Amino acid sequence: MIETPKQITVRGITTSFSFSTVLNQNREVAYKVIEKLDQFPQLIAGIEKLNIEKTSGNCRLTEWSINIDGLKIRWKEENIFNPAQGSMKFRMVEGSFDHYQGEWKID
């Protein structure tokens, strides 16, 4: 199972949410899915653009552009991968929200 708890703050109001999905794969194969950020636009509806700007070790800086019911949202985030824990933590460093962070975790 891939779980994605997230937290967004807009105009001082913080909202937490999460979703999960079940992949009928072993943990190693499932983790490879979240490692391939550049393929997210083909896997997740609404992602118009995802650009990997910089990679350094287990850290990536990514630029996102999504469209949710005609509302375009853009941000840059730092992604930190931890293969041993089967996780990828992220936090927005610039963009449409006051605060945006979360984690993809393989259980």
Side-chain angles (χ1 to χ4, degrees):
M1 178 185 316
I2 299 176
E3 294 183 277
T4 59
K6 300 177 183 188
Q7 194 174 63
I8 295 176
T9 304
V10 179
R11 296 186 185 129
I13 299 170
T14 301
T15 301
S16 296
F17 64 95
S18 68
F19 66 88
S20 63
T21 188
V22 175
L23 296 177
N24 293 320
Q25 301 291 334
N26 66 39
R27 183 178 175 163
E28 182 178 298
V29 172
Y31 186 76
K32 289 186 184 297
V33 172
I34 64 172
E35 277 188 316
K36 296 179 182 180
L37 291 173
D38 58 330
Q39 294 182 8
F40 277 28
Q42 290 87 20
L43 301 173
I44 302 170
I47 298 177
E48 292 184 337
K49 179 176 130 184
L50 194 162
N51 187 33
I52 298 172
E53 293 192 342
K54 184 178 178 183
T55 300
S56 178
N58 283 344
C59 185
R60 294 185 195 148
L61 179 66
T62 54
E63 179 183 18
W64 297 69
S65 177
I66 65 172
N67 186 328
I68 300 173
D69 295 330
L71 176 64
K72 293 190 180 222
I73 303 170
R74 294 188 174 107
W75 72 93
K76 288 184 183 182
E77 68 182 40
E78 176 185 60
N79 309 97
I80 300 173
F81 292 85
N82 187 329
Q85 291 184 356
S87 68
M88 185 267 290
K89 293 183 179 181
F90 61 89
R91 69 175 183 84
M92 185 188 72
V93 295
E94 176 185 315
S96 301
F97 309 114
D98 297 334
H99 173 83
Y100 176 52
Q101 70 180 25
E103 179 178 26
W104 290 80
K105 184 155 179 66
I106 307 295
D107 286 331

